[in-house]
Amino acid sequence: MVVKDVPKTGGWSKFDALSSTDRAVFKETMAGLAGVGYEPLVVRKQVVAGTNYEFICNARVVYPGTDWYPAMVLIYKPLKGSAVIKKISRIAAH
């Protein structure tokens, strides 16, 4: 029996591959966003009064010839109701 990485309430899980539920939350929440395209790569979660999702993504401005760059998308999904974008930030290269 394999035990999955289940975070304690308030703690963040490790970054992991996206489940079908993670992909659905991301797609539904980002549906109305225009101007930049985001491709989620991995996710970590924090169980609170709902769930925080922190996605590491490839992103690029929706314009021919633009380059991809790394970005972080934080989404909050309450116990009841729709998920909302809390923060989107570009990940700086070191």
Side-chain angles (χ1 to χ4, degrees):
M1 180 169 160
V2 176
V3 178
K4 270 195 95 56
D5 177 30
V6 179
K8 294 179 183 173
T9 301
W12 285 96
S13 68
K14 295 177 184 175
F15 279 103
D16 203 355
L18 279 68
S19 69
S20 57
T21 301
D22 301 333
R23 287 185 189 283
V25 167
F26 187 86
K27 185 178 178 182
E28 188 177 303
T29 308
M30 302 296 280
L33 198 62
V36 177
Y38 293 92
E39 176 186 304
L41 303 172
V42 293
V43 65
R44 70 179 185 160
K45 297 172 227 169
Q46 181 186 41
V47 178
V48 288
T51 304
N52 284 316
Y53 294 84
E54 194 170 55
F55 294 91
I56 293 179
C57 303
N58 278 331
R60 74 172 169 190
V61 175
V62 182
Y63 187 80
T66 58
D67 293 327
W68 290 96
Y69 59 88
M72 184 77 68
V73 176
L74 178 61
I75 293 174
Y76 172 66
K77 173 80 169 103
L79 296 173
K80 293 183 180 183
S82 300
V84 294
I85 299 168
K86 298 301 280 184
K87 184 177 182 181
I88 297 176
S89 54
R90 188 176 195 142
I91 299 172
H94 289 81

